[in-house]
Amino acid sequence: MYKGGMQPRTRGQRRAQIRRRRSVVGLVTLVIIGAILYFALSSGGSATPSRTATSTTAPSQGGAKNSSTLAPSLEAGSEPWQLAAPLSRETVTTDHNQLRILGGLVPSGASVSTVTALDPSTGTFTSLGSLAAAVHDGAGATIGTSSLVFGGGSPDTFATVQSFNATTATPTAPGHGQVVSQLPQPRSDLTAVSITSNGAHPSTTSYIVGGYDGTNYLPSVLATSDGVHFTEAAKLPVPVRYPATAALDGKIYAFGGQSGGNGSAVVATDAIQEIDPSTHSAKAVGKLPQPLYGASAFVIDNHLYVAGGQTGSGQTLTQMYEFDANSRKVSDAGLLPQAVAFAGYATIGTGASAVGYLVGGEVASQSGPDQAGFATGTLQTVIFLRPSRYGGPVGGPSAGSPYTGSLLIADRGNDRLLVMDPARTLLWQYPSVTAPPPPGGFYFPDDAFFFRNGTGIISNQEENHTIVEVGYPSGKLLFQYGHPGSPGSSAGYLNQPDDAYLLKSGTVTVADALNDRILFIAPNGTVTNQIGTNGVAVHNPPTSIGYPNGDTPLANGDVLVSEINGSWVTEYTQAGQLVWTIHLPTVNYPSDPQQLGANLYLIADYDPPAEGRIITFTRSGQIVWTYDVTAGGGALKKPSLAEQLPNGLIMVNDDYRDRLLIIDPKYNAIVWQYGLTDTAGTSLGMLSIPDGFDLLLANGTTPTHPQTG
């Protein structure tokens, strides 16, 4: 148990995050099979390799259920609600469909004694009372109607077993925990797993795995059925503290952990240990792709998963793995939207309906393409883990990724365009040494879109007052319009251009915002048509429009225009004829509307009172769906573009929180993130005020705007 608010780490130079690479010769067959399965389960298809799909060579030891079917990758989503305050190293138990959160560590380094009930279906928290003593780094189990906390410390390691019975506890009549027994010796940094026996009279036994007595790492696995009497069930071959544990088919699996070291150095282990209570034996049965500790483990859809954790050098992880207990194979299962270690964790439900939860936790440091969420600190997030309905099986191409193909990002604050694959491998950057910027520079790329089957990219440079087309991947300048750094309204000039698209006809359409017009520009640079009147910022269709910032091409050849002044959305023909118009009174700053269906539209509200939200609406102005989280990691700050992916998820560039997000509208949860929240940067995995994106599928199509060039 660590005495303090943050986990100790090595004093040596921080290691770079381990990035495992697949052997081409040894795994060609696996890649082909995974790709076929992925194409069968996902739209769009991508032949991009996954981050990793590693396996050990330990012999099979019996038939576990999780080997009978190919495991699904996981959807991990940050709930739209959060804890009342940052918390880590707490104990989490289950009570039917609710979670009980007991004790924990707050950022100041103090332990707490609070007991809270959480209904994850509603995000409702109920204060139940307090434990007999403040504690963190304990382990929990439910026995009868009571939640038990084994050991832990505050700050010193102790042997206390505390019980909290919530049957009569209410916010107005809080319950009080009791000390019911003592462990055989002081123990903290431990975990507990319960197994219920089958038969006419089922019984539940809780097993305590791992731990630390203040001096030694403890190998003994303890068993108890009442929280009072303890027997030794087995001995770990690798004594550890902070392992991640879960039980499947009557066996317990301990993943990783801290295994001791000399001086102040932290030594993490990659060992996967199997405990068989029926034979009182334990053995190492495999290895994780990297040593880690402080992770969380779950059984979801009868498969074992490990999520998050921390390396010995202090890197907090977003990685999720699946472990096949029969083949001993470890495979990628996806990424968390927030790096996390030392969270409270538990699973509600069984089988395919099981949902895992990560409650709070800590982040020490992050780097590399898989970093996500808040960069450091103690967390208030609650993350769910469910079988992914879009990410394909584990270990396949881009396991768990919510998109396929190539993702283009207009990284406005860094004056660059990026393209990456679903495994977050950076494929292309512009400008670069081999692709210099155009005359007048490449400044303030507000949007960027693929055209002509992905052979080119068009981008408007909003504050440079230009439109640029470059070849992809050559980076060769193909077309430029406007005068760099010189706004204007006469021929050849632009003033704050927004949303430049190349139509199939070769015409460029752009919202020339501060000139209050939509322009249609021929390949020779001639303006062939215009919607709006120069300098007349009034919604008076079809004569004038007020400060347009979106001109999305529609499948029927029309354009969908958003006007900031007055919050209007209007459909025009390219000839400038009005089709329909709607005022959205609850939208403060409409940005870049998209058509989803015959009478359904998606739009970002860039600057409402609560900073940012996403809505869908009809032509009559009916609001159908809203993402409007006002606090915590789920809150948006000036999102300028939202588009629906082929799988129904919503991708959003959250400009002023320096990240690109994917939201699952079914749960209003962030299920993917690129970039660190509120932290701008240029290194791999970081962005600065991203202001546009686009998706190119392997077949050369652009699913969010198939009607363009």
Side-chain angles (χ1 to χ4, degrees):
M1 180 199 65
Y2 175 58
K3 301 178 182 179
M6 294 297 294
Q7 174 61 26
R9 65 192 78 165
T10 179
R11 299 179 189 270
Q13 186 177 21
R14 185 178 72 184
R15 294 198 307 265
Q17 184 179 18
I18 297 172
R19 299 285 293 165
R20 304 153 320 274
R21 299 297 180 191
R22 176 179 292 165
S23 167
V24 174
V25 176
L27 293 179
V28 167
T29 303
L30 178 60
V31 172
I32 294 173
I33 293 173
I36 293 172
L37 288 167
Y38 189 70
F39 278 116
L41 294 173
S42 304
S43 63
S46 170
T48 306
S50 68
R51 290 175 296 278
T52 183
T54 58
S55 62
T56 63
T57 56
S60 173
Q61 300 290 330
K65 288 180 182 177
N66 72 334
S67 64
S68 60
T69 58
L70 195 61
S73 58
L74 292 180
E75 176 183 68
S78 296
E79 298 281 11
W81 36 265
Q82 60 179 1
L83 299 174
L87 188 68
S88 67
R89 301 169 186 261
E90 72 274 33
T91 296
V92 177
T93 64
T94 59
D95 179 16
H96 297 94
N97 291 322
Q98 292 196 345
L99 301 173
R100 288 184 192 167
I101 305 168
L102 304 100
L105 196 70
V106 296
S108 67
S111 300
V112 295
S113 61
T114 53
V115 180
T116 305
L118 166 60
D119 183 346
S121 66
T122 62
T124 302
F125 293 87
T126 304
S127 177
L128 298 178
S130 61
L131 296 166
V135 63
H136 72 277
D137 280 336
T142 300
I143 296 181
T145 60
S146 296
S147 292
L148 272 67
V149 179
F150 302 106
S154 182
D156 296 323
T157 298
F158 50 62
T160 303
V161 179
Q162 303 186 64
S163 175
F164 186 90
N165 191 323
T167 54
T168 60
T170 66
T172 56
H176 300 281
Q178 296 180 332
V179 174
V180 294
S181 67
Q182 299 287 316
L183 295 170
Q185 65 189 111
R187 184 182 293 223
S188 63
D189 317 333
L190 62 162
T191 60
V193 179
S194 296
I195 297 177
T196 300
S197 63
N198 298 318
H201 303 287
S203 62
T204 299
T205 302
S206 296
Y207 296 89
I208 294 169
V209 182
Y212 184 66
D213 67 3
T215 303
N216 302 305
Y217 292 74
L218 303 177
S220 58
V221 178
L222 303 179
T224 181
S225 58
D226 58 8
V228 176
H229 304 90
F230 299 88
T231 59
E232 185 174 272
K235 283 186 178 294
L236 294 175
V238 182
V240 290
R241 62 197 287 200
Y242 300 120
T245 55
L248 180 64
D249 296 339
K251 295 179 181 178
I252 301 165
Y253 296 88
F255 299 94
Q258 186 177 320
S259 58
N262 296 322
S264 61
V266 173
V267 178
T269 180
D270 59 5
I272 301 173
Q273 304 184 73
E274 180 187 82
I275 303 153
D276 188 345
S278 66
T279 61
H280 299 283
S281 62
K283 59 186 176 183
V285 294
K287 291 185 177 181
L288 293 165
Q290 58 185 316
L292 57 81
Y293 64 109
S296 304
F298 306 88
V299 174
I300 300 173
D301 199 12
N302 295 319
H303 299 278
L304 284 162
Y305 296 93
V306 182
Q310 192 160 294
T311 67
S313 63
Q315 281 288 105
T316 310
L317 305 175
T318 59
Q319 184 69 61
M320 296 187 290
Y321 300 114
E322 185 264 345
F323 174 66
D324 188 308
N326 186 44
S327 68
R328 311 308 195 200
K329 181 189 298 181
V330 180
S331 303
D332 279 345
L335 295 174
L336 296 166
Q338 167 69 63
V340 60
F342 307 109
Y345 65 95
T347 304
I348 291 178
T350 59
S353 63
V355 181
Y357 291 95
L358 284 158
V359 181
E362 296 172 11
V363 185
S365 65
Q366 297 190 63
S367 68
D370 290 352
Q371 59 187 326
F374 290 106
T376 59
T378 305
L379 302 173
Q380 293 179 250
T381 53
V382 177
I383 300 174
F384 68 72
L385 287 78
R386 290 180 167 92
S388 174
R389 64 186 189 281
Y390 50 76
V394 300
S398 321
S401 175
Y403 71 89
T404 62
S406 299
L407 178 62
L408 168 65
I409 304 173
D411 191 15
R412 192 188 89 191
N414 288 323
D415 298 320
R416 63 184 182 177
L417 303 179
L418 305 174
V419 176
M420 65 183 187
D421 65 14
R424 298 170 181 247
T425 302
L426 184 62
L427 304 175
W428 185 82
Q429 179 171 324
Y430 179 86
S432 67
V433 174
T434 59
F442 192 76
Y443 167 65
F444 212 104
D446 173 73
D447 288 289
F449 300 100
F450 288 108
F451 62 77
R452 296 196 184 114
N453 302 111
T455 61
I457 293 172
I458 185 170
S459 176
N460 50 275
Q461 319 305 298
E462 187 175 291
E463 295 298 326
N464 203 30
H465 313 292
T466 59
I467 298 170
V468 174
E469 294 177 17
V470 297
Y472 178 74
S474 70
K476 179 182 178 181
L477 180 63
L478 305 177
F479 175 82
Q480 183 167 349
Y481 185 89
H483 293 257
S486 299
S489 60
S490 58
Y493 282 84
L494 300 168
N495 194 348
Q496 201 179 95
D498 206 344
D499 271 23
Y501 289 93
L502 180 64
L503 306 180
K504 290 186 183 296
S505 64
T507 296
V508 170
T509 177
V510 64
D512 191 15
L514 284 181
N515 284 325
D516 304 300
R517 62 188 183 179
I518 306 297
L519 296 182
F520 297 86
I521 305 169
N524 64 2
T526 302
V527 174
T528 59
N529 195 36
Q530 175 175 322
I531 300 172
T533 303
N534 292 5
V536 181
V538 177
H539 175 77
N540 184 24
T543 304
S544 62
I545 55 180
Y547 199 0
N549 66 342
D551 60 318
T552 308
L554 301 180
N556 63 3
D558 294 348
V559 291
L560 194 61
V561 176
S562 54
E563 299 172 60
I564 298 170
N565 292 355
S567 300
W568 292 90
V569 176
T570 308
E571 182 178 340
Y572 291 95
T573 68
Q574 290 188 37
Q577 295 176 330
L578 174 67
V579 179
W580 61 268
T581 186
I582 183 69
H583 168 57
L584 299 173
T586 62
V587 174
N588 189 56
Y589 194 119
S591 184
D592 298 6
Q594 311 289 316
Q595 185 169 19
L596 303 184
N599 186 22
L600 187 64
Y601 301 86
L602 173 70
I603 199 167
D605 192 355
Y606 179 78
D607 194 22
E611 290 287 10
R613 61 178 181 158
I614 311 297
I615 67 171
T616 60
F617 64 97
T618 67
R619 283 194 294 273
S620 65
Q622 178 186 359
I623 305 300
V624 178
W625 170 80
T626 303
Y627 180 86
D628 190 14
V629 178
T630 58
L636 306 177
K637 187 172 185 179
K638 301 188 186 309
S640 61
L641 175 63
E643 292 188 339
Q644 186 180 71
L645 303 181
N647 54 24
L649 303 182
I650 307 295
M651 183 174 280
V652 180
N653 51 260
D654 191 15
D655 299 29
Y656 281 85
R657 301 200 81 176
D658 303 304
R659 59 186 184 170
L660 191 65
L661 304 175
I662 296 179
I663 296 168
D664 188 338
K666 182 177 180 180
Y667 306 107
N668 269 15
I670 295 172
V671 297
W672 182 91
Q673 176 168 331
Y674 188 83
L676 291 178
T677 305
D678 303 325
T679 306
T682 60
S683 60
L684 193 62
M686 300 184 73
L687 303 169
S688 177
I689 319 178
D691 207 357
F693 62 87
D694 197 18
L695 192 61
L696 177 69
L697 300 185
N699 60 7
T701 61
T702 50
T704 62
H705 54 100
Q707 62 278 6
T708 61

